[in-house]
Amino acid sequence: MTYNTMSVIKKRSGLSSSTINNNNLAQSTQHEKVAESSKTINEITRTHPTAYLIFGSLLLDLLAFTMILPLLPSMLEYYKQNDVGGLYGYLSDSISSFQEWVGAPKRFNSVLFGGALGSMFSLLQFIVSPIAGGLSDIYGRKPVMIVCAIGIAASYGLWAYSHNFLLFVLARFVGGLSKGNISICMAVITDVSNQQNRGKAMALVGIAFSLGFIVGPMIGAIFSRFADKTDAHWFWLPAMFAMGLAVLDVIFIAVCLKESLPKEKRSKKIINTLSQTLDHISIPALFKFSAVKNLSKRDIGSLQSLGLVYFIYLFIYSGLEFTVTFLMYHKFNYTSIDQAKMFLTTGIIMALLQGSVVRRLPQRLTQISAVGGLYLIIPAFIIVGIAETTQMLYLGMILFAISTAFVVTCMTTLTSKYGDFHQKGTVLGVFRSLGALARALGPIVASIAFWSIGSKITYVVGGVLLVCPTLMMQLMKLS
């Protein structure tokens, strides 16, 4: 095409060279804006690197924490035989009259004492979590996390030398007092995330729990398999390994984790913030979320509804969850390795779901997914209760794993959207405290039921009662 021909085309079309150039420039600018907008969206929805560091810290903590799960029934049996003149023997003698009255088998005493230990641990966590959350709002997340991690490491050191039941109880006491780190981890994730990527970050917490329940019990079971349980020091090695993981977590937090709450965003009213801890410990104030100030009535109402559902769910769930290791031990004669295989199966399912599904849930599906998970937990526990074969037990526990992958993560994500930046630690501290209170009451109630009326009725009734929080969650209208 010649120059003259091009000139004719331009004239006939009414377009000058300058007009064409301007159009090209406009198109180029539009492409740049689209690219810039796409880049901004990616930055908003991308998971913050700090969330992955929290994942690493939680994983170290949970690996150490879950190691004891397959060992606990055997440890309590050890104290039953070797601590006759100590605390275990004293407690057994103290309940003997009531035991005869209800007709509870003496071999189930370990279930009762295990439930008491689990409840004590969670009761302490209930008290400590909001205090730790409030302190982190004042002094920053990192220093409080380090203090908690040091206390957890010390508790495992005590466990290593707990050759009598009294020392073991003391070790669990110290561990419970130090377990405020979970609520602070949630606050850190909330600090560095937004509504678009918070679900993904919270799912990382769920994945850490799942992996902890996959690998931790396997480590404990391996130690148990090669231990001589007649030796008074048989649990020294797993306890020291747990302490090593906890010390590594202290170093990891100190070296790798950056402070997520800048000084200018921290709470300035120290006295008021510390006085609010009474609102965390007072049960009526806890359910009202009284410690969270300056929220609209609608937001407070939504938080109160979420907190009530979470408490009822975890109260029933935690009791049945805690006693399942004793069910496997006493009813199915599972060894520590057998129990670890069960935890491995459920943990893998939870990790796969949280990594592939829960982490990618859009915000609009969070509540629906929580409801679906709640519906699934009902048949899960009924099947576990009536199970007479290993196949049925595995079926119930697989349903349990699928449900667990969704419920707590989704409910935490829903709760984390309420409150201003400096209130997130308090909001999640109260939420975690409600969970800790439920876990403080659930194990002891379920253990007493298991001990006195047997596992079948306990699990079936618990499964039916889970209908209540499920319907409440389904009918809830959140702001």
Side-chain angles (χ1 to χ4, degrees), residues 54-256:
I54 290 296
F55 167 81
S57 175
L58 273 176
L59 185 58
L60 288 171
D61 175 59
L62 291 165
L63 286 175
F65 176 74
T66 56
M67 278 179 57
I68 198 173
L69 294 178
L71 304 178
L72 188 57
S74 297
M75 285 191 66
L76 291 172
E77 287 298 314
Y78 169 82
Y79 291 127
K80 176 182 175 181
Q81 297 172 12
N82 296 277
D83 197 37
V84 178
L87 180 62
Y88 194 101
Y90 171 77
L91 293 174
S92 293
D93 293 339
S94 300
I95 63 169
S96 58
S97 298
F98 181 72
Q99 186 174 20
E100 291 174 7
W101 182 63
V102 298
K106 195 168 184 178
R107 68 191 183 95
F108 284 173
N109 281 2
S110 60
V111 182
L112 186 64
F113 297 156
L117 280 174
S119 289
M120 179 197 72
F121 188 93
S122 292
L123 179 62
L124 293 168
Q125 188 177 1
F126 157 67
I127 295 170
V128 167
S129 288
I131 297 174
L135 289 173
S136 74
D137 284 341
I138 299 169
Y139 300 108
R141 314 297 189 204
K142 184 173 179 177
V144 182
M145 278 188 70
I146 291 175
V147 171
C148 289
I150 291 172
I152 291 169
S155 73
Y156 295 133
L158 280 172
W159 173 29
Y161 292 96
S162 58
H163 306 313
N164 58 65
F165 190 56
L166 178 60
L167 277 177
F168 182 64
V169 171
L170 180 61
R172 301 303 289 170
F173 186 87
V174 173
L177 277 180
S178 307
K179 211 60 181 171
N181 63 319
I182 304 294
S183 63
I184 302 175
C185 286
M186 299 293 191
V188 171
I189 284 180
T190 305
D191 290 342
V192 300
S193 61
N194 52 54
Q195 289 189 355
Q196 285 72 25
N197 62 19
R198 189 168 297 138
K200 294 179 181 180
M202 288 296 180
L204 281 175
V205 175
I207 295 170
F209 272 86
S210 300
L211 291 176
F213 276 84
I214 291 172
V215 182
M218 286 299 295
I219 296 172
I222 290 170
F223 279 119
S224 173
R225 186 173 184 178
F226 296 103
D228 179 8
K229 294 179 184 177
T230 60
D231 182 5
H233 299 275
W234 73 268
F235 47 79
W236 183 86
L237 196 56
M240 291 301 292
F241 188 85
M243 189 178 77
L245 289 173
V247 171
L248 185 60
D249 188 31
V250 175
I251 297 170
F252 180 80
I253 295 169
V255 174
C256 300

Side-chain angles (χ1 to χ4, degrees), residues 245-299:
L245 289 173
V247 171
L248 185 60
D249 188 31
V250 175
I251 297 170
F252 180 80
I253 295 169
V255 174
C256 300
L257 189 66
K258 293 182 179 179
E259 179 57 57
S260 64
L261 187 63
K263 289 184 178 181
E264 62 272 14
K265 293 184 178 180
R266 295 177 192 175
S267 177
K268 302 296 189 296
K269 299 177 181 178
I270 297 176
I271 296 176
N272 290 343
T273 302
L274 291 177
S275 67
Q276 288 173 1
T277 57
L278 294 175
D279 291 333
H280 294 285
I281 299 170
S282 166
I283 293 175
L286 200 62
F287 280 97
K288 293 177 182 178
F289 279 77
S290 299
V292 185
K293 308 296 183 182
N294 301 320
L295 287 187
S296 66
K297 289 184 178 180
R298 189 177 178 185
D299 284 356

